[in-house]
Each structure stands twice: as structure tokens, then as C-alpha cells.
Amino acid sequence: MKKLALYVALVLLIVGCANGQPKSMAVLPKPAAGEAVATFGSGCFWASQEAMTELKGVNKVIAGYAGGNTANPTYEEVSTRTTNHAETVQVYYDPKVITYATLAEAFLSAHDPTTLNRQGPDVGTDYRSIAFYRNANEKATLEAAIKKMNDSKHYPNPVVTQVVPFKVFYPAEKYHQGYYRTNGDNPYIGAVSTPKVLKMRKAMKEYLKPEFK
């Protein structure tokens, strides 16, 4: 019961911190020359954005929404779970420095891809584990990364990550961008987000930018 009470408190905390915030949306940048783009959903995008940003070869990461059927959704709309969108991040990276396969490994390492429609205290389809591919090679890479995780028994349960074709990504509100670094005093960041970031750092140590090692 104590754990359940903590989960409920944390869920209310993340919802509460979003209420009353400015609703202006971030601008989705176009890839620079030589940049590639990847899109992943691994629960709350505050931790996901930070974790991916810390990898060498990653130039920028945008928090947003993908996988659903509502155009230009807001955080509040996604939270109702009627849009079918998941909280996701779009990663802009240099493929000469970091490969899509490495990003896929980091994605699977930065959260628990074995829990269906939830990440810790965050429950619902908007927090589902989902990876989007843009071509056949990316699809094969994701499937191979998942198979490797399952075969190695890295997690005690099988990976339930959805692997789906990319259609469209909508950037989230401006206040969500870089939230992890600007709101370190938020209890949710310390209790839920930071452990996920540290989990990724441990798993992907050799791929981290020097300041995060």
C-alpha cells in the first residue's frame, strides 16, 4: 500500500506540474546537412530527452508526441489517452559519430521496455515503449536489438516495445523542452527521471559525451 500511495502521489505530481504552464508549442527543427533523425518513446520524455542528449554524436533532442491520430496535440489532450499518441523524443544525430543501432541500444537501456503501457508510476498508453522506423534497415535494426535483449535475458521479462513505421512527430510545448535540466528541484525528476538517466549512463558509458562520464 505504501508503494501504491507513492505511485499515486508521483502521478499526481507530474500532472500537476504541467497544469497552468504556457501552452506555446516548440518549433520542430529541420535536420541539418549530414544529420539523421530517429524517434523513440520510452515513458516520460523529460528523462528520455536528457538521456539521449548525453550521447556522443547527438546534436539535439526534441520532446513531443507520436504514434497517434490527432494533429498537433497538446499535453493535456495526450494525457487523456484519446489521441493514441505516446510521449516521444526526436533525436537529431551525426551518423558518422553514432549509429542508429547504438541509439536503439541506448533507447532499450534507458527505460524498462518490458512493462506494457507503463513506466514506473506512469501508467497509460501515452507512456508505452515504442520505436519508429523510417526504412527497412531501421526496422531490422530495432528487431535485432530487441532479439538481442531477449536472448541475453538482460531483462527477466520479454520486451514489449512496439516497432512501427514513422508517420509524423509533433513537438511538445516549449516548457517541456530541456525540463530535466531546468527543474532539478521537482521531486518527480529526482524520484523517477534521474534513475532512468543514470541507468542509461551505466549501460552506455563508452558512448557518453565526456562531461557525463
Side-chain angles (χ1 to χ4, degrees), residues 81-101:
R81 302 181 185 109
T82 59
T83 69
N84 201 38
H85 283 297
E87 290 193 20
T88 59
V89 292
Q90 188 140 291
V91 183
Y92 295 74
Y93 67 101
D94 183 348
K96 294 180 180 179
V97 179
I98 189 168
T99 65
Y100 185 81

Side-chain angles (χ1 to χ4, degrees), residues 69-156:
N69 45 33
T70 298
N72 302 305
T74 64
Y75 178 86
E76 287 74 20
E77 289 173 331
V78 173
S79 296
T80 66
R81 302 181 185 109
T82 59
T83 69
N84 201 38
H85 283 297
E87 290 193 20
T88 59
V89 292
Q90 188 140 291
V91 183
Y92 295 74
Y93 67 101
D94 183 348
K96 294 180 180 179
V97 179
I98 189 168
T99 65
Y100 185 81
T102 299
L103 289 176
E105 181 181 353
F107 157 70
L108 291 170
S109 300
H111 73 300
D112 184 352
T114 71
T115 52
L116 185 64
N117 297 331
R118 77 174 300 158
Q119 284 297 305
D122 300 321
V123 181
T125 53
D126 46 331
Y127 296 112
R128 68 190 183 274
S129 179
I130 186 169
F132 301 87
Y133 60 85
R134 287 170 167 77
N135 53 55
N137 287 336
E138 289 185 354
K139 181 181 181 183
T141 297
L142 290 169
E143 290 174 342
I146 291 172
K147 184 177 186 302
K148 180 179 178 181
M149 282 284 183
N150 286 332
D151 290 347
S152 68
K153 304 298 182 183
H154 180 81
Y155 295 105

Side-chain angles (χ1 to χ4, degrees), residues 12-213:
L12 291 175
L13 175 63
I14 186 173
V15 172
C17 72
N19 289 336
Q21 294 284 353
K23 298 301 187 290
S24 57
M25 313 305 283
V27 176
L28 186 65
K30 293 182 179 180
E35 270 189 336
V37 180
T39 309
F40 305 101
S42 54
C44 178
F45 45 32
W46 294 344
S48 305
Q49 184 181 36
E50 176 61 26
M52 288 296 185
T53 297
E54 296 184 0
L55 296 170
K56 289 185 292 187
V58 172
N59 300 325
K60 53 186 171 289
V61 183
I62 306 298
Y65 315 108
N69 45 33
T70 298
N72 302 305
T74 64
Y75 178 86
E76 287 74 20
E77 289 173 331
V78 173
S79 296
T80 66
R81 302 181 185 109
T82 59
T83 69
N84 201 38
H85 283 297
E87 290 193 20
T88 59
V89 292
Q90 188 140 291
V91 183
Y92 295 74
Y93 67 101
D94 183 348
K96 294 180 180 179
V97 179
I98 189 168
T99 65
Y100 185 81
T102 299
L103 289 176
E105 181 181 353
F107 157 70
L108 291 170
S109 300
H111 73 300
D112 184 352
T114 71
T115 52
L116 185 64
N117 297 331
R118 77 174 300 158
Q119 284 297 305
D122 300 321
V123 181
T125 53
D126 46 331
Y127 296 112
R128 68 190 183 274
S129 179
I130 186 169
F132 301 87
Y133 60 85
R134 287 170 167 77
N135 53 55
N137 287 336
E138 289 185 354
K139 181 181 181 183
T141 297
L142 290 169
E143 290 174 342
I146 291 172
K147 184 177 186 302
K148 180 179 178 181
M149 282 284 183
N150 286 332
D151 290 347
S152 68
K153 304 298 182 183
H154 180 81
Y155 295 105
N157 298 309
V159 173
V160 296
T161 301
Q162 291 182 329
V163 176
V164 299
F166 177 80
K167 293 182 179 179
V168 62
F169 172 88
Y170 298 103
E173 292 81 350
K174 290 180 180 179
Y175 74 89
H176 284 302
Q177 310 303 327
Y179 191 95
Y180 181 92
R181 297 192 185 186
T182 58
N183 293 271
D185 58 344
N186 184 328
Y188 179 92
I189 295 295
V192 180
S193 301
T194 296
K196 290 173 69 175
V197 173
L198 295 179
K199 181 174 182 284
M200 193 282 298
R201 287 182 185 175
K202 182 178 180 180
M204 306 300 292
K205 186 175 180 180
E206 65 180 297
Y207 298 102
L208 294 174
K209 293 170 181 173
E211 62 266 36
F212 300 112
K213 290 185 176 180

